[in-house]
Amino acid sequence: MAVTDEAIEKIKGMIVSGSLRPGDRLPKESELAAELGLSRNSLREAVRALSLIRILDVRQGDGTYVTSLDPQLLLEALSFVVDFHRDDTVLEFLAVRRILEPAATAMAASRISEQQLNALSAQLDLLGEEPSVEELVAADLEFHRGIVQSSGNSVLCSLLDGLSGPTTRARIWRGLTQEDAVSRTLHEHRAILTALRDRDAEAARSWATVHIASVEQWLRSTL
C-alpha cells in the first residue's frame, strides 16, 4: 500500500473508531505523525486528499478539523465525479435515478406539507405552458429536489442531487430535439403533484417512474 493510502486509512480508522469525532481538531502534525507512525509528508498528503472529499477541513492558521460528516457534505464529491461521465454511461445514471427517485417520491406522499405542495404548484404556474428548454430543465431540477427533500431522507436527497449532472444534459438534448418534450414534462409534473395531493404513494411512484423512463427511452433511441 502506498504511504499516502496508508496514512488515509489510519486517519479514517481514527474517525470510524470514534477517536476523532465530527468537529474535533486533529492533533498537531508532528504529534499525529508520530502517533500513527507516519512521515509528516505522507500525513500532509493524506490530509489534503481527505479535505478534498470533505472529510477534513483545513483552516489556515487554526488547524485541521473533522467536518460535520453530514451526508450532504460528503456526497458533494459524487456530483464532481459524475461530471466526468462518458456519454454512453448517461443511461446507467438514468437507470439509477429510475430506481431511487420513484421511491423517494412515494415516501414524500405521506410527508409533504400542503405549503410545499402549494409552492410546487405555484412554481409550475409561473413556468407557463411554453418555457424555454433552459427554464424547463431548471424548473425540473427544483421540482424534483423539492419532492425528494420532503421524503425525509437526506442521504437519498444528496444521492439524487449528485446524479443530476448527466441527467440534466439528457433532458436538455431531449428538449432540443423532441417536439412534445416540454408539454409532456409539464403534464407529468402535474400528474405527480396530483398524486402527492391525494396522498397516493403508489400513483406518485408510478408517475415518477414514467417521467424518468420517458427520458431514458428517448435517449436510448438516440445513442
Side-chain angles (χ1 to χ4, degrees), residues 25-26 28 57-65:
R25 181 177 175 173
L26 270 64
K28 290 181 179 178
D57 178 20
V58 180
R59 303 176 190 174
Q60 204 66 34
D62 185 19
T64 299
Y65 293 79

Side-chain angles (χ1 to χ4, degrees), residues 90-99 167 170 212 215-216 219:
V90 173
L91 281 169
E92 294 182 17
F93 285 110
L94 277 168
V96 174
R97 186 174 162 230
R98 180 160 47 85
I99 293 167
T167 56
I212 299 163
V215 178
E216 192 178 354
L219 187 59

Side-chain angles (χ1 to χ4, degrees), residues 128-139:
E129 296 301 319
E130 296 183 3
S132 68
V133 173
E134 290 77 12
E135 289 171 336
L136 182 67
V137 170

Side-chain angles (χ1 to χ4, degrees), residues 54-82:
R54 305 292 196 269
I55 302 294
L56 298 178
D57 178 20
V58 180
R59 303 176 190 174
Q60 204 66 34
D62 185 19
T64 299
Y65 293 79
V66 180
T67 67
S68 65
L69 302 181
D70 180 79
Q72 189 168 2
L73 181 68
L74 298 181
L75 287 168
E76 280 180 8
L78 174 64
S79 60
F80 180 79
V81 172
V82 163

Side-chain angles (χ1 to χ4, degrees), residues 116-128 190 193 197:
Q116 288 168 311
L117 287 167
N118 290 338
L120 289 172
S121 182
Q123 181 191 75
L124 289 179
D125 291 341
L126 187 64
L127 193 62
R190 292 287 183 191
L193 196 55
R197 281 198 183 279

